[in-house]
Amino acid sequence: MLIPSKQISVIVPTRNAERYIGRCLRSLLNQTIDFNKYEIILINDASTDKTKEAIKTFLGDIVYIENKKKKGLPASLNVGIKKSRGQYIVRVDSDDWVHPEYLNMLYCHLNLNNDLDAVACDYLEVDNNQNTLAQKNFENHPIGCGVMFKISDIIKLGLYDSKLLAREDEDLLIRFKKKYKITRVPVPLYRYRKHKNNMTNNKKFMKKFLKKLKQKHTS
């Protein structure tokens, strides 16, 4: 693990997101916090579409990692975390985007309060036309993104479980909450895009890993 030289590392895992990745990265580069305080680490998990072409214009502003063979979402997240130089870490999925105050607000809450372990924001569910479908309270509807952690805590937990190809975020939150607390920032700073290719739409796949998740935490 590298010695922290940034305040924040933003981890962006991507696979076959050519339609969405530009919007995601533009939102991360358009943050109100000083760009020198954070880094964007994008992990391309062996995309077979034109994702690599879509990110060419961003390569000077991001840390780019490409898996030559598909590793899966949690393993790709772990690759990014291991390359991180930040004191804090936050995940943004490549089909989503964030408000300009996203990093600044989460960072200020966590950095200025020594008694906080992690902070999470609320989020908006949006469609492909950027229309708001619903506003969600993180405590009632938790997701893996929009949570800023201390990277040292994530390392202590052993990172993401690479065997859980889905529900890896739920597993991490379960393990995290056994030792630490997540404080909610009641502002919808994250934009969760709903579209036909969302992994959560694959009911059979999600059910399979729900069973694995339950087995892991009831054994």
Side-chain angles (χ1 to χ4, degrees), residues 110-154:
L110 188 55
N111 193 54
L112 296 177
N113 292 280
N114 293 330
D115 58 333
L116 297 186
D117 300 316
V119 292
C121 63
D122 289 348
Y123 59 98
L124 301 179
E125 289 185 346
V126 297
D127 64 17
N128 275 331
N129 295 316
Q130 302 187 27
N131 297 311
T132 299
L133 304 174
Q135 181 169 328
K136 297 293 186 178
N137 179 320
F138 176 84
E139 290 183 352
N140 298 331
H141 304 278
I143 56 173
C145 302
V147 188
M148 186 172 286
F149 301 99
K150 297 173 184 175
I151 194 168
S152 57
D153 292 340
I154 298 302

Side-chain angles (χ1 to χ4, degrees), residues 39-116:
E39 62 180 351
I40 302 165
I41 302 176
L42 187 144
I43 308 92
N44 182 359
D45 192 23
S47 292
T48 57
D49 66 353
K50 295 181 180 179
T51 292
K52 194 171 182 179
E53 295 295 316
I55 64 170
K56 276 188 174 181
T57 58
F58 301 98
L59 291 178
D61 296 314
I62 66 174
V63 178
Y64 178 69
I65 302 169
E66 184 175 345
N67 298 335
K68 298 303 180 182
K69 293 183 178 180
K70 183 181 177 184
K71 293 178 178 288
L73 177 55
S76 295
L77 288 164
N78 290 341
V79 167
I81 293 170
K82 290 174 183 177
K83 282 288 185 179
S84 298
R85 296 177 294 162
Q87 180 181 3
Y88 305 113
I89 197 162
V90 67
R91 167 183 168 182
V92 176
D93 283 350
S94 59
D95 50 355
D96 300 334
W97 72 93
V98 294
H99 188 278
E101 287 287 351
Y102 174 69
L103 294 180
N104 185 50
M105 289 191 70
L106 293 180
Y107 171 73
C108 286
H109 276 79
L110 188 55
N111 193 54
L112 296 177
N113 292 280
N114 293 330
D115 58 333
L116 297 186

Side-chain angles (χ1 to χ4, degrees), residues 74 163-170 199 205-206 209-210:
K163 295 179 181 178
L164 288 174
L165 298 179
R167 301 189 183 274
E168 77 298 325
D169 52 344
E170 296 173 52
M199 184 187 293
F205 187 71
M206 294 301 291
F209 285 97
L210 176 59

